Amino acid sequence: MDEPSFEMVEDAIWQSLVRGKADRKSAFHTPTVASVGADGIPHQRIMVLRAVDRASATLRFHTDIRSGKVADFARGGHVSVLVYDTKAKVQIRVGGTAVIEQDGPTATIAWGNTSPSSRRTYLVNPGPGTKVDHPVSGLTQKWEGVAPSAEDSEAGRAAFAVMIIKLHRMEWLTLAATGHRRALFKLADSKWSGQWLVP
């Protein structure tokens, strides 16, 4: 088999991430995002990839500011994002540090670009993760199964935030019957440097 170069692999990682942002059918659209809680225990959740910026090496996700995971991210702790594309037989892990923005320009623009039906998520009360006595959606009966109007959805703005991950590490693994290949990239001085690893 033709061996890939670092440039080819780095490009493939970014292309996959960019495609994942736009394509709901892509495995990269809903990666697993992991952090470490205050209890020292790793926590994972599926999140929708909302934006990718190769120039600044950042990924953006949306979250409810009341969610327990926000405390993990707000501490500036390390975050890991994992995707496995079963069709391509490629696993990508990226890592970095997260910043939560609720009131800044990025969050304001992101909220403006969010549809009222998606904004409904932020109308839950009490907030995500609150202990309850029976299964509930957190939505009032008014919003159960109903998309709010743009005006009504504005009530959710107070709970909306963006999580921006500044990447400093990327790892690529491809599986093949002829032999797997694995590469690690680290960011230093605005440049990615590659290192081949044994799979």
Side-chain angles (χ1 to χ4, degrees):
M1 65 185 264
D2 292 337
E3 295 296 348
S5 66
F6 286 130
E7 293 78 10
M8 289 169 58
V9 174
E10 184 184 341
D11 284 345
I13 292 171
W14 286 107
Q15 288 168 9
S16 295
L17 290 167
V18 168
R19 186 169 52 252
K21 181 262 176 193
D23 182 1
R24 290 172 180 260
K25 295 181 180 179
S26 167
F28 289 82
H29 188 64
T30 50
T32 300
V33 181
S35 60
V36 177
D39 54 8
I41 297 173
H43 299 272
Q44 301 170 314
R45 74 285 296 164
I46 302 296
M47 296 183 76
V48 176
L49 181 58
R50 301 292 183 176
V52 177
D53 187 340
R54 183 173 183 174
S56 64
T58 57
L59 306 179
R60 190 183 83 226
F61 299 86
H62 297 173
T63 189
D64 191 309
I65 197 72
R66 301 166 295 173
S67 173
K69 65 180 176 289
V70 169
D72 297 349
F73 301 141
R75 283 194 304 275
H78 293 286
V79 179
S80 179
V81 180
L82 170 68
V83 182
Y84 180 65
D85 185 331
T86 55
K87 291 182 181 178
K89 295 185 179 179
V90 170
Q91 173 184 280
I92 293 177
R93 288 190 298 172
V94 299
T97 52
V99 173
I100 300 295
E101 179 186 307
Q102 186 178 18
D103 300 317
T106 302
T108 299
I109 291 169
W111 176 257
N113 290 332
T114 301
S115 69
S117 60
S118 293
R119 289 179 177 184
R120 186 177 69 143
T121 303
Y122 303 96
L123 296 174
V124 300
N125 190 33
T130 301
K131 293 180 180 179
V132 292
D133 294 329
H134 56 278
V136 298
S137 69
L139 294 167
T140 64
Q141 198 168 18
K142 179 179 181 180
W143 301 125
E144 284 278 354
V146 177
S149 67
E151 182 179 351
D152 286 335
S153 72
E154 284 297 329
R157 177 62 181 92
F160 177 82
V162 296
M163 179 183 75
I164 301 166
I165 301 177
K166 173 66 175 174
L167 302 183
H168 55 70
R169 176 186 177 100
M170 304 190 299
E171 192 171 317
W172 170 88
L173 171 68
T174 184
L175 306 179
T178 53
H180 311 325
R181 297 293 184 269
R182 183 178 173 193
L184 171 67
F185 296 86
K186 292 184 178 180
L187 186 63
D189 299 323
S190 301
K191 292 185 179 179
W192 291 97
S193 59
Q195 172 66 60
W196 298 112
L197 303 174
V198 176

